[in-house]
Amino acid sequence: MKLTRNILTCIASLIVFNSCESKDSITQKTEEKILVLGNGAEPAGLDPQMVEGVIESNVIRGLFEGLCMDHPTDPNQHSPGAAASWSSNANSTEWTFKLHQDGKWSDGVPLTSHDFVFAYNRILSPEFGAKYAWMLYFIEGAEDYNRNKKHKFLLEHLSIWDQIKDENYSGDSDLDSAKHLRSFFSKLSDEEKRYDNDAKGLNKLTLEQLKAIKENPSLFTWSEGISTGDQTQIIDTYIKHSGKDLWSMANVGVKAVDDYTLHISLKAPTPYIPDITKHYTWYPVPKHIITKLKNPFKEDHTWTEPGNLVSNGPFQLKEWKFNDYIELETNSNYWDTDNVKLNGIKFLPIGNAYTEARMFFDNQLHSTYTLAPELIDYSIEKNKKMVRQETYLGTNFLRLNNKLPEFEDHNLRKALAYSVDSQSIIDHVLKGGQQAATGIVPPMGAYQPSTQYRFDPELAKEYFAKTKFADDPKSLKLVMVTTDKETAKVLAETVQDMWKNHLGINVEISQSDWKSYLVKVSKLDYGVATGGWIGDYPDPTTFLDMWKAGAGSNRTGWESAEYEALLAKAEMTSDPAARMKILQEAEAMFLADYPIIPIYWYTSNYLHHESVKGWNTHIMKSQPYKYMSLEN
Amino acid sequence: MFKIILSRLAQGLLVLIFLYTVTFFLARWMPFDMFTSDKSLDAQALQVKKAEFDLDKTYWEQYKISINKLFQGDLRDSGMMKQPVSKIIAHSFPVSFVLGSAGMLIAIIIGIPAGIIAALRKNSMIDYSTMLIALVGISVPAFVLGPLLAKGLGANVSFLKVAGWGGSFDWVLPSITLGLATAAYLARITRAGMLDILSQDYIRTAKAKGVSEQNIIIKHALKGGLIPSIAYIGPAFAMLITGSFIVESIFQCPGMGKHFINATKNGDIFLLQGIVLFFGCLIVLVNLLADILLVALNPRLR
């Protein structure tokens, strides 16, 4: 009934209030100093600790502010954000951030270091389940806390630790404890109790369950070699600390020294931490608001609704018309509000790139989210000054299924790699001024990109001649999986054609929707897969960590202990130049196996109105709105 | 009459229960779910998230919970949009309803007169040209017609926009795009229905009695000739007001069409279940109305 009433009210308001609004011209918006942006899709929420995408980030960057901020012009410098100043020890492991004394939330409540501690506790909390929690793993103890390694905090000091540290305390995810949970724990049979305990693991058991195990140790499957005495000692320790807050046990390296001083201890030297603090996962959240929620550590989106959302950035949420637009207005409580030149920002969730371009040329937008490849030539012809093509922190590549028997022969991988003509793909398919990729890490800062990959059909043929398919190229059966995105499809067809021309092989293309594609690739149910990766922060590790054995984004079946050792070594190196060198070594080691075929380094192509000032190129296309202004 | 309505309602309810149940299980058999993502969730976080949506329970338990909540009027939250499904429907349905109703109106205003005229001037130039235009109307898809209208009218007529929502006339172009194809179908159906009636004996008798052509059409032919059209309008109207992904995306309207597609693509099962159920209710309702109208027009059905 409520639904019906809502619908009726909405229809009525559509008819009545729609009657007199003038054309939304960009000239008028420029005069009002309201920036109108195309933003791809409706954001899946505005809680900076819950979201995961560029679309959400675009709005959240206006609402919230991290400790450091991008410099208006120089990408190698940082400006004060929520922190007025910061300093670190010589090897960049201990950082102290001094917050603005007059820093406030948009509701006027002071912004203190406790908000940051609370925020980092919340996003890392194992019960919160934040997707992007690993962005804070730079912090000492953060990963152990996030992964609920309660046993480590509790048992590490015991003499038996060395003996028991490899036990599984987090439960066996293969066991489905839900199967038995039709009644209360006390009513279960012993067999069912043990099954439930094993599935959950000691770390997640309640006091009742722990006590039951103490009385009857066979209610938990102990591995051999743990004596009855040790079992009692372990259970006693768990019982003693039961109900205690995991955060306080974990001793994560985030401390509020006083109200305006935040101290962060990192697990390894990280000179680029100011860059990391610009990522939304590092933003503060209003402790005074969130602690009032029913459960602050559960996903709850009531606090981000218009009227409720309190933020610390240059703007605050004015209106959110679902699926229609999100509008921000200046936050008068922002510490630097005098220097904010815009009066507001309006985000339109335009999913159709052609519609977006039409709206731009109809003077409804200041800047588009994207520009379809087919429209690039047309737009340049129409108005060259309005077309932006900027280097973007991302790589497009083909994954090879390294577990496939055919790919055991590296000559085949090399033959495939050297017969892909990236430049021709860029010139004829993408047309967006991309750069042919010669390695996985795109050019950034002081990092020297690899030069291993190139187009060399003769070399490709040489390698192919060494494979067992040389005599009968048609006997090689490969499936190339791709998404249903038009550009991915055309790219796959182009590569298919190149391999046919240069090597004589036939590759079958299998297209599926985005999520089915992800499932296939994750299960290694493919031969070759189109793919891409956008960096989360401007450091090579964002492109190198993903090839670790356990990383969910690996999806090639490639692994190497030496590679991971090199990454670990880089992590412990505080000298930036030496560190970059080790990372270059790691990349070279990875590429030497030809587990992937890099195709191009991204550019972001979009349409941009000349009336927007202070919008500088940005490698992650996350230009701070704070410095922007509008002039007709 | 009352009996017919009652039996149709009971049938409708059965259909809805069946629809909901089938959707419920099909949605859970999709190869992916709402947590499938490029940046994959680690096992522990995944467990937490699944528990929040009761997805760690057995299908049967989930079904019981869902039905229970359904009776409390709770369609649950969308996994992707982080909003209650009922709120998403409440916000987007009015837009689709306005677009669809205007589209239907356009279809009726154009389609029915065109069909009648074509039938009356059977095998004349007027008939051929009307039916040719109708054939073109059916064949040209919305993703061609929409952009053409946007470029042709939206960019040039001062009060129209190429796309966008919020202005007084923003419904015009999407409604035309939606309505024209329906108008074309309607013209063809009306023509066939009218031709069928015009060849009936009682019309010939009326003609022989010297009743004027105008009277024959209005008093005798229309009532029977429009029955197929009305039978078509019912479901067509339901289709139009449930929103069109393509038209909404071309003209950037915050309607319902996109949610249905996105819910399926994202494995957003609660949104999918909610929207399918809502569509089901609408279709049952509109069909019921069409049935009542048909009974009123056709005494033989009484």
Side-chain angles (χ1 to χ4, degrees):
Chain A
M1 277 311 95
K2 207 172 158 198
L3 183 64
T4 328
R5 193 161 5 107
N6 277 341
I7 291 175
L8 287 178
T9 340
C10 282
I11 293 176
S13 66
L14 268 176
I15 295 166
V16 178
F17 297 111
N18 258 0
S19 48
C20 51
E21 199 189 319
S22 68
K23 194 160 170 160
D24 220 41
S25 103
I26 219 61
T27 327
Q28 188 194 334
K29 289 288 173 193
T30 304
E31 272 163 27
E32 291 170 17
K33 304 223 176 299
I34 297 195
L35 183 68
V36 189
L37 303 176
N39 195 29
E42 182 73 3
L46 291 180
D47 183 336
Q49 310 198 306
M50 226 41 257
V51 300
E52 52 167 321
V54 177
I55 283 153
E56 291 79 17
S57 160
N58 281 347
V59 183
I60 287 173
R61 262 185 298 117
L63 290 170
F64 293 87
E65 186 179 63
L67 291 162
C68 304
M69 179 83 159
D70 278 309
H71 189 270
T73 50
D74 184 357
N76 298 317
Q77 283 190 52
H78 314 287
S79 290
S85 65
W86 53 90
S87 57
S88 75
N89 62 352
N91 70 350
S92 313
T93 51
E94 303 289 328
W95 291 76
T96 306
F97 294 88
K98 292 271 181 200
L99 306 186
H100 296 283
Q101 297 283 338
D102 54 350
K104 286 192 188 87
W105 289 98
S106 53
D107 59 356
V109 172
L111 169 73
T112 67
S113 50
H114 306 289
D115 289 308
F116 281 91
V117 177
F118 172 76
Y120 298 168
N121 178 358
R122 181 170 181 257
I123 191 170
L124 285 167
S125 162
E127 48 187 302
F128 189 57
K131 221 170 203 174
Y132 250 94
W134 54 266
M135 272 296 291
L136 282 89
Y137 284 1
F138 296 97
I139 302 173
E140 173 107 73
E143 183 170 359
D144 286 343
Y145 171 63
N146 182 238
R147 293 186 184 277
N148 190 12
K149 291 197 176 161
K150 200 171 173 181
H151 54 283
K152 200 170 165 193
F153 316 136
L154 292 184
L155 310 174
E156 206 172 15
H157 312 291
L158 302 184
S159 53
I160 50 169
W161 174 243
D162 275 344
Q163 193 188 327
I164 58 166
K165 69 178 175 197
D166 295 327
E167 290 297 313
N168 179 16
Y169 299 88
S170 301
D172 187 344
S173 54
D174 288 340
L175 300 177
D176 180 12
S177 76
K179 274 209 310 213
H180 288 297
L181 279 188
R182 291 199 193 94
S183 52
F184 295 110
F185 182 77
S186 57
K187 289 186 183 157
L188 299 175
S189 71
D190 280 1
E191 180 62 20
E192 285 170 340
K193 279 182 187 167
R194 187 166 56 81
Y195 189 87
D196 187 42
N197 290 340
D198 288 350
K200 287 191 175 133
L202 285 185
N203 284 351
K204 288 180 217 141
L205 296 187
T206 61
L207 186 60
E208 182 196 5
Q209 289 164 317
L210 291 169
K211 278 184 172 162
I213 297 176
K214 185 179 162 71
E215 269 178 30
N216 179 3
S218 71
L219 291 182
F220 185 74
T221 310
W222 300 92
S223 52
E224 278 175 43
I226 300 183
S227 68
T228 328
D230 292 345
Q231 290 173 11
T232 319
Q233 194 181 5
I234 292 169
I235 288 293
D236 280 342
T237 318
Y238 267 99
I239 290 177
K240 195 175 128 200
H241 291 89
S242 165
K244 256 193 213 164
D245 178 28
L246 188 68
W247 174 256
S248 55
M249 283 190 258
N251 203 15
V252 180
V254 183
K255 298 276 170 314
V257 179
D258 59 49
D259 283 357
Y260 295 99
T261 311
L262 183 71
H263 186 87
I264 298 180
S265 311
L266 305 178
K267 68 173 176 193
T270 318
Y272 55 98
I273 212 73
D275 266 323
I276 303 291
T277 65
K278 297 170 195 168
H279 193 267
Y280 50 84
T281 46
W282 282 69
Y283 292 173
V285 291
K287 186 182 179 184
H288 63 285
I289 302 284
I290 295 182
T291 43
K292 280 187 206 137
L293 295 176
K294 203 164 95 197
N295 186 346
F297 289 85
K298 275 266 171 274
E299 188 164 353
D300 183 339
H301 290 270
T302 48
W303 79 272
T304 54
E305 277 168 21
N308 298 349
L309 181 60
V310 167
S311 61
N312 75 319
F315 299 93
Q316 58 185 1
L317 186 60
K318 182 182 174 194
E319 208 177 353
W320 183 355
K321 282 198 84 176
F322 188 66
N323 244 324
D324 197 354
Y325 62 85
I326 291 181
E327 190 163 350
L328 313 186
E329 62 185 357
T330 320
N331 171 10
S332 56
N333 280 310
Y334 178 59
W335 64 272
D336 198 17
T337 193
D338 294 342
N339 287 318
V340 179
K341 299 170 200 108
L342 294 175
N343 287 333
I345 311 171
K346 196 170 172 181
F347 298 92
L348 305 179
I350 311 168
N352 184 326
Y354 307 106
T355 301
E356 192 183 36
R358 272 199 293 277
M359 289 174 79
F360 179 84
F361 288 120
D362 194 37
N363 281 326
Q364 293 185 55
L365 297 172
H366 280 117
S367 195
T368 65
Y369 180 71
T370 183
L371 181 60
E374 306 88 84
L375 292 175
I376 294 176
D377 286 344
Y378 166 81
S379 307
I380 289 177
E381 204 176 293
K382 197 156 180 165
N383 191 339
K384 197 167 189 293
K385 278 190 204 151
M386 289 186 172
V387 181
R388 294 266 193 137
Q389 300 193 318
E390 292 160 5
T391 313
Y392 189 55
L393 193 65
T395 308
N396 189 289
F397 54 85
L398 301 174
R399 283 187 170 88
L400 303 182
N401 182 353
N402 287 232
K403 297 280 185 213
L404 215 62
E406 287 86 339
F407 284 132
E408 269 166 25
D409 183 358
H410 281 210
N411 288 318
L412 179 61
R413 303 185 189 192
K414 289 179 193 171
L416 293 179
Y418 287 117
S419 48
V420 174
D421 182 359
S422 304
Q423 196 55 48
S424 133
I425 295 178
I426 293 165
D427 292 342
H428 300 109
V429 179
L430 307 163
K431 296 179 181 174
Q434 288 85 351
Q435 234 185 308
T438 50
I440 180 69
V441 182
M444 65 175 98
Y447 190 80
Q448 278 293 321
S450 159
T451 52
Q452 190 173 331
Y453 286 81
R454 64 183 182 279
F455 173 54
D456 189 340
E458 293 315 312
L459 191 60
K461 279 176 196 145
E462 263 173 50
Y463 281 121
F464 193 67
K466 292 183 201 160
T467 67
K468 61 177 176 182
F469 305 103
D471 298 329
D472 182 13
K474 298 257 184 299
S475 65
L476 176 63
K477 299 258 180 284
L478 273 183
V479 177
M480 175 153 51
V481 302
T482 174
T483 63
D484 52 3
K485 221 174 119 189
E486 193 57 29
T487 42
K489 191 185 128 197
V490 179
L491 189 130
E493 285 166 354
T494 317
V495 172
Q496 178 191 40
D497 196 47
M498 286 170 178
W499 284 342
K500 190 171 183 174
N501 282 342
H502 299 303
L503 308 174
I505 59 171
N506 274 325
V507 178
E508 186 195 326
I509 295 179
S510 154
Q511 241 189 310
S512 42
D513 62 273
W514 171 241
K515 288 208 168 186
S516 303
Y517 155 89
L518 279 179
V519 170
K520 262 193 221 168
V521 180
S522 301
K523 282 201 280 193
L524 295 186
D525 179 14
Y526 72 95
V528 183
T530 60
W533 192 256
I534 308 288
D536 288 303
Y537 46 91
D539 186 80
T541 48
T542 188
F543 290 92
L544 295 175
D545 283 344
M546 61 190 284
W547 308 109
K548 289 180 180 172
S553 41
N554 183 321
R555 301 187 186 120
T556 57
W558 183 85
E559 54 185 281
S560 153
E562 295 111 273
Y563 174 75
E564 288 182 36
L566 269 183
L567 288 185
K569 190 177 155 199
E571 196 174 291
M572 300 317 292
T573 310
S574 51
D575 173 41
R579 180 173 167 273
M580 286 297 167
K581 266 203 115 121
I582 300 171
L583 291 176
Q584 280 160 24
E585 254 175 74
E587 185 188 4
M589 179 186 277
F590 168 67
L591 296 177
D593 274 349
Y594 293 82
I596 59 156
I597 303 174
I599 299 193
Y600 63 91
W601 289 317
Y602 284 110
T603 51
S604 60
N605 285 279
Y606 58 101
L607 295 165
H608 191 77
H609 206 274
E610 293 158 283
S611 57
V612 188
K613 311 288 176 213
W615 177 296
N616 301 311
T617 56
H618 192 287
I619 193 164
M620 301 178 72
K621 207 190 168 208
S622 44
Q623 290 86 349
Y625 307 115
K626 179 179 167 178
Y627 308 123
M628 292 178 194
S629 61
L630 288 167
E631 282 161 36
N632 258 329
Chain B
M1 189 73 169
F2 185 66
K3 234 178 170 174
I4 295 175
I5 296 177
L6 216 63
S7 88
R8 284 291 148 96
L9 271 180
Q11 282 172 18
L13 196 68
L14 277 177
V15 167
L16 288 180
I17 293 172
F18 180 73
L19 184 69
Y20 187 80
T21 311
V22 170
T23 316
F24 181 91
F25 288 103
L26 280 184
R28 279 161 181 77
W29 284 329
M30 287 202 276
F32 49 81
D33 59 30
M34 54 176 135
F35 308 111
T36 310
S37 150
D38 199 10
K39 316 228 159 157
S40 45
L41 213 54
D42 76 46
Q44 188 169 345
L46 189 64
Q47 241 180 344
V48 171
K49 293 280 115 185
K50 285 200 165 174
E52 267 172 34
F53 289 95
D54 296 319
L55 296 177
D56 54 342
K57 302 194 170 61
T58 59
Y59 283 176
W60 176 238
E61 273 171 31
Q62 290 181 45
Y63 186 67
K64 277 195 294 188
I65 296 172
S66 275
I67 293 286
N68 239 326
K69 297 222 171 188
L70 192 62
F71 278 110
Q72 294 160 21
D74 181 2
L75 294 174
R76 317 221 36 190
D77 286 7
S78 151
M80 303 305 292
M81 311 305 299
K82 320 282 184 197
Q83 307 253 8
V85 170
S86 52
K87 191 175 153 194
I88 294 177
I89 296 178
H91 273 92
S92 53
F93 176 64
V95 175
S96 293
F97 183 78
V98 167
L99 290 182
S101 306
M104 197 71 234
L105 215 64
I106 291 169
I108 292 173
I109 291 173
I110 298 175
I112 289 188
I116 295 175
I117 293 170
L120 293 179
R121 302 279 175 270
K122 189 179 149 196
N123 295 341
S124 70
M125 267 324 277
I126 298 181
D127 181 22
Y128 291 141
S129 48
T130 319
M131 284 308 110
L132 186 72
I133 295 172
L135 195 66
V136 173
I138 293 170
S139 319
V140 175
F143 60 82
V144 174
L145 182 62
L148 281 178
L149 286 174
K151 285 296 278 182
L153 293 177
N156 299 318
V157 179
S158 65
F159 61 87
L160 294 177
K161 290 193 284 199
V162 293
W165 193 250
S168 329
F169 298 101
D170 291 343
W171 55 274
V172 174
L173 295 181
S175 295
I176 294 178
T177 314
L178 274 175
L180 281 189
T182 315
Y185 269 110
L186 208 51
R188 291 180 71 89
I189 291 170
T190 309
R191 177 179 179 272
M194 285 300 283
L195 281 182
D196 187 38
I197 292 293
L198 287 175
S199 63
Q200 298 277 331
D201 289 345
Y202 73 92
I203 299 287
R204 220 171 327 144
T205 314
K207 263 188 194 160
K209 275 166 52 182
V211 182
S212 72
E213 194 180 349
Q214 204 180 341
N215 268 344
I216 290 180
I217 297 164
I218 296 173
K219 282 202 177 144
H220 302 284
L222 269 188
K223 206 168 166 188
L226 285 184
I227 287 178
S229 309
I230 289 170
Y232 169 72
I233 287 176
F237 183 56
M239 283 297 292
L240 285 185
I241 58 173
T242 45
S244 150
F245 176 75
I246 293 169
V247 173
E248 282 165 17
S249 129
I250 291 170
F251 292 103
Q252 188 57 25
C253 312
M256 252 179 110
K258 80 159 91 178
H259 296 308
F260 189 53
I261 303 283
N262 289 344
T264 317
K265 279 173 77 170
N266 292 325
D268 193 344
I269 50 179
F270 297 114
L271 185 56
L272 189 62
Q273 283 164 214
I275 290 186
V276 167
L277 188 67
F278 184 74
F279 281 7
C281 292
L282 274 182
I283 289 170
V284 165
L285 243 145
V286 174
N287 275 335
L288 181 70
L289 286 179
D291 280 347
I292 295 173
L293 214 67
L294 283 178
V295 171
L297 281 177
N298 190 349
R300 270 177 295 182
L301 287 177
R302 262 172 233 165

